[in-house]
Amino acid sequence: MRTSRALSSTARLTALAAGAAAALTLAAPAAHAADPPLRDLAAAQGKVIGTAVTGSKLTGTYGDTAAREFSSLTPGNAMKWESVEPTRGTYNWAEADQIVDFAAAHGQQVRGHTLVWHSQNPGWLADGSWTAAQLGQLLDDHIATEVGRYKGRLAAWDVVNEPFNEDGTYRQTLWYNGLGTDYIARALTDARAADPAAKLYINDYNVEGVNAKSTALYNLVKSLKERGVPIDGVGLQAHLILGQVPSTLQQNIQRFADLGVDVALTELDIRMQLPADTTKLAQQKADYQAVVAACAAVTRCAGVTVWGFTDSDSWVPDVFQGYGAATPYDENYRPKPAYYGIAKALGGSGDGGTPPAGACTASYSVVNQWNTGFTGQVRISCSGAALANWKASWTFGAGQRISQAWNATCAQTGAAVTCSNASYNGTVPDGGSVTFGFNATWSGSGENPVPVVTLG
Ligand code: 9MR
């Protein structure tokens, strides 16, 4: 499924740029309020705050932020079967090792993800026709090899991922079809044998609230406990939609805790329809805060992991067309209101992330794209302030050139673009906005971050 991330670069450009968050202003908000980093706030509550990461990105601002803010890392893809054993018997541990080493260097835990799943399996495994005995042996060997490799270095493993359908029946997978429901107990037993110190989890999505699927998971965990099968925790992935945090989240966490297992929110993101605006970002802050607060309220909730900390490293725009902006940082690593919602739920002040009163701000979005170009739009909005004449500037990605503009006069020197008002729209009143647009050609082949627009 790596291919799903390898969308055409123009599609990717749109996916990224369409999520453009509001950018700057005449009076810049501080990048961070007085609160300490999230990992320090979480530690004070006895909780872990984690993020999924991509190994190749762990340098520069991405690496600095991952290290500073988070106390746990989950490899987003690096430990999946197709990543570690693409060809039978040929292993590639490079990215997984890199992430585990990075975590050790920064005093972070690692959640292993994931050992037994129906997706992201190598072709040789997924397409093979195996007897039950062969399949069982493959499962045993895979777990012994991978868990054994990181023995003593990982805090937890998502041993079994996504075993249920929405109605609470078992998902028909390679494993279920070949081995029956017992594949789950077998995988957990194998994992315990390979690393007795790692906490062993079953992880699934749409199990955050009390519903048929989470009740099936509950019944499974209960019966595994009764049978003495090693199970230490449940992972509630929490791929949520704006404004739809389940009202039974805390109650659901509590019922698993009462069974005698830990609970972790393992893949939190909260997607919204693009483009983002201040109202949606404020709702997202409230949603993030509610989710993290539900975990903070239950002693056995170990912590929360976000599924990518920046909108530039999120699976959402690739999979849910028109949706994105799902993480706590924007594409340029600026904390969004959601970041402050997390901080607040972890006992911080949560102050920050909202533009100061009396500011004019500009946001950039791509509204259309084609093979060789795209149409962009910039909206300048004022609240508690006004503009008489405006000028909006940003830096294009490599290979992008403005070819035509409307409602503004634009010029480009190198990658620097400056647009100034037309004769009829120089005034942006308090409480009002002005929008201008442009066409640009595009010949780059890489991903371009969303430009930050500066008003002056
Ligand atoms: O973030 C992962 C993305 O890069 C992959 O393309 C995708 C393929 O299914 O898997 C993503 O992570 C998934 C996770 O492993 C399990 N829960 C759902 C996540 C989002 O798809």
Side-chain angles (χ1 to χ4, degrees):
M1 278 284 296
R2 283 293 171 77
T3 46
S4 76
R5 288 199 67 80
L7 291 177
S8 78
S9 32
T10 44
R12 182 70 185 156
L13 169 77
T14 301
L16 282 168
L24 198 88
T25 110
L26 296 174
H32 281 276
D35 285 331
L38 296 180
R39 63 183 288 177
D40 297 344
L41 291 171
Q45 306 288 317
K47 303 292 179 196
V48 166
I49 182 84
T51 180
V53 288
T54 302
S56 59
K57 298 184 180 174
L58 281 171
T59 58
T61 309
Y62 182 99
D64 291 346
T65 309
R68 184 185 65 241
E69 299 288 338
F70 298 96
S71 51
S72 175
L73 302 183
T74 302
N77 289 298
M79 288 186 173
K80 291 170 180 174
W81 202 322
E82 73 169 6
S83 300
V84 301
E85 197 186 5
T87 305
R88 193 171 183 187
T90 303
Y91 295 91
N92 179 358
W93 304 106
E95 189 188 350
D97 285 357
Q98 185 204 347
I99 293 169
V100 173
D101 290 345
F102 182 97
H106 296 96
Q108 297 168 303
Q109 296 185 357
V110 177
R111 282 191 72 85
H113 176 83
T114 176
L115 296 167
V116 185
W117 194 21
H118 62 273
S119 183
Q120 291 184 279
N121 286 320
W124 64 264
L125 173 65
D127 303 336
S129 69
W130 311 102
T131 64
Q134 289 169 329
L135 205 54
Q137 194 63 52
L138 284 164
L139 183 84
D140 296 343
D141 291 347
H142 172 64
I143 293 174
T145 303
E146 183 156 7
V147 178
R149 180 177 183 87
Y150 298 108
K151 181 178 178 183
R153 302 190 72 195
L154 266 53
W157 269 106
D158 290 330
V159 178
V160 176
N161 201 34
E162 303 175 358
F164 288 110
N165 294 316
E166 297 304 292
D167 64 1
T169 56
Y170 281 97
R171 194 191 280 268
Q172 311 276 305
T173 68
L174 170 72
W175 307 109
Y176 179 85
N177 294 337
L179 300 169
T181 56
D182 221 39
Y183 83 90
I184 295 174
R186 182 167 179 164
L188 289 161
T189 305
D190 287 345
R192 177 70 93 229
D195 185 354
K199 299 272 192 196
L200 306 180
Y201 278 70
I202 301 174
N203 190 49
D204 214 327
Y205 62 90
N206 287 351
V207 292
E208 295 74 33
V210 175
N211 58 34
K213 193 174 185 179
S214 65
T215 299
L217 179 60
Y218 178 90
N219 290 332
L220 169 64
V221 171
K222 187 163 184 284
S223 96
L224 291 170
K225 294 276 296 176
E226 282 162 6
R227 289 164 56 198
V229 175
I231 172 75
D232 302 309
V234 293
L236 316 180
Q237 291 184 9
H239 294 293
L240 302 177
I241 299 171
L242 191 73
Q244 296 183 29
V245 176
S247 58
T248 51
L249 174 61
Q250 188 180 323
Q251 177 194 340
N252 193 42
I253 295 172
Q254 188 66 57
R255 74 169 170 160
F256 281 105
D258 292 344
L259 271 184
V261 291
D262 293 342
V263 179
L265 299 170
T266 52
E267 304 182 15
L268 176 61
D269 49 29
I270 303 179
R271 60 186 180 268
M272 64 181 69
Q273 204 158 7
L274 297 172
D277 61 30
T278 47
T279 308
K280 293 180 197 172
L281 292 170
Q283 177 68 52
Q284 189 184 46
K285 175 180 181 179
D287 290 350
Y288 264 94
Q289 187 177 330
V291 172
V292 177
C295 178
V298 179
T299 308
R300 282 204 82 141
C301 188
V304 178
T305 288
V306 295
W307 204 243
F309 64 87
T310 155
D311 290 340
S312 67
D313 190 37
S314 168
W315 69 299
V316 168
D318 292 349
V319 175
F320 299 99
Q321 201 164 19
Y323 282 79
T327 79
Y329 282 81
D330 74 12
E331 295 87 347
N332 295 302
Y333 304 119
R334 287 177 306 217
K336 292 159 56 183
Y339 171 93
Y340 299 98
I342 297 173
K344 186 139 203 207
L346 293 172
S349 73
D351 292 340
T354 33
C360 296
T361 59
S363 67
Y364 175 110
S365 57
V366 169
V367 294
N368 190 19
Q369 58 86 27
W370 54 95
N371 274 353
T372 55
F374 61 97
T375 301
Q377 183 176 285
V378 173
R379 178 186 296 271
I380 301 170
S381 311
C382 291
S383 173
L387 288 173
N389 283 297
W390 50 261
K391 198 178 267 184
S393 309
W394 66 90
T395 304
F396 261 159
Q400 296 181 335
R401 280 216 78 76
I402 222 160
S403 54
Q404 185 192 5
W406 48 96
N407 299 332
T409 305
C410 296
Q412 181 171 356
T413 309
V417 182
T418 299
C419 299
S420 46
N421 60 274
S423 57
Y424 50 86
N425 65 1
T427 302
V428 187
D430 183 2
S433 65
V434 162
T435 302
F436 68 91
F438 59 87
N439 284 334
T441 56
W442 186 71
S443 61
S445 56
E447 295 177 4
N448 289 307
V450 177
V452 178
V453 180
T454 308
L455 293 175

